[in-house]
Amino acid sequence: MDKRQAIGSWLSGPRAAAEDAGVDFGYRGEQLGLPEQGPGSIARPGRRLGALAVDWGLCLLIAYGLITDGYDQATSNWALLIFLLLHVLTLGTVGFTPGKRLFGLRVIAQDTGTVNPWRALVRSVLLCLAIPALVWDRDGRGLHDRLARTVEVRI
């Protein structure tokens, strides 16, 4: 093995090295029975981050315009509370937030397909903690999705 190949496999990570050795991981969502592409497939990180940014901006705008007089720490705290309420109410009823709808995403329950308010609450609280959302599995689902047994899919 050439030194460049050894360094390249180390930089690519264990998944790339395993795929080079012949291991087939499949596509994201295959273990969940979801299609590889199109409607119903696992949402990609770019769309998810875009929807999150739209939702956070909307909540920040509401907190800034309706609750606080200026932008300070209280505005961010109120925005986080509004963000939590927005997610619990919208995911528990229609399955998407305004940002998710704008980016063509929907949150579904892994087993039943519809998210009940309890799952929406668990998912939203864990999302507000931020750390569970930063830990992903091989299907691209965050720890908050795994614990709430939900999946974010494309519409």
Side-chain angles (χ1 to χ4, degrees):
M1 176 181 276
D2 188 4
K3 287 183 181 180
R4 289 177 289 177
Q5 289 176 329
I7 291 174
S9 67
W10 177 77
L11 291 174
S12 300
R15 181 179 175 124
E19 286 175 345
D20 290 342
V23 176
D24 181 26
F25 287 107
Y27 60 87
R28 292 177 184 226
E30 184 175 16
Q31 293 178 338
L32 302 170
L34 300 174
E36 184 174 3
Q37 298 174 354
S41 64
I42 295 279
R44 296 287 184 208
R47 285 184 181 216
R48 293 177 73 156
L49 288 174
L52 183 69
V54 167
D55 288 338
W56 180 253
L58 180 66
C59 294
L60 197 58
L61 187 64
I62 291 170
Y64 178 77
L66 298 178
I67 300 173
T68 61
D69 289 332
Y71 185 77
D72 56 0
Q73 183 63 39
T75 307
S76 296
N77 292 340
W78 279 107
L80 185 62
L81 180 65
I82 295 168
F83 183 82
L84 176 67
L85 292 174
L86 174 77
H87 272 75
V88 170
L89 294 175
T90 58
L91 290 181
T93 55
V94 293
F96 50 81
T97 62
K100 290 184 190 334
R101 182 65 182 149
L102 184 68
F103 280 84
L105 304 176
R106 182 181 187 97
V107 177
I108 60 171
Q110 192 173 335
D111 49 1
T112 61
T114 57
V115 179
N116 62 23
W118 174 249
R119 285 188 185 185
L121 177 68
V122 170
R123 184 184 189 279
S124 301
V125 167
L126 290 171
L127 180 63
C128 287
L129 292 176
I131 298 297
L134 298 175
V135 178
W136 291 13
D137 65 1
R138 64 180 259 193
D139 286 324
R141 293 190 315 155
L143 187 58
H144 64 296
D145 276 328
R146 289 188 57 101
L147 292 175
R149 293 191 321 267
T150 58
V151 181
E152 193 165 347
V153 297
R154 293 175 53 192
I155 296 177

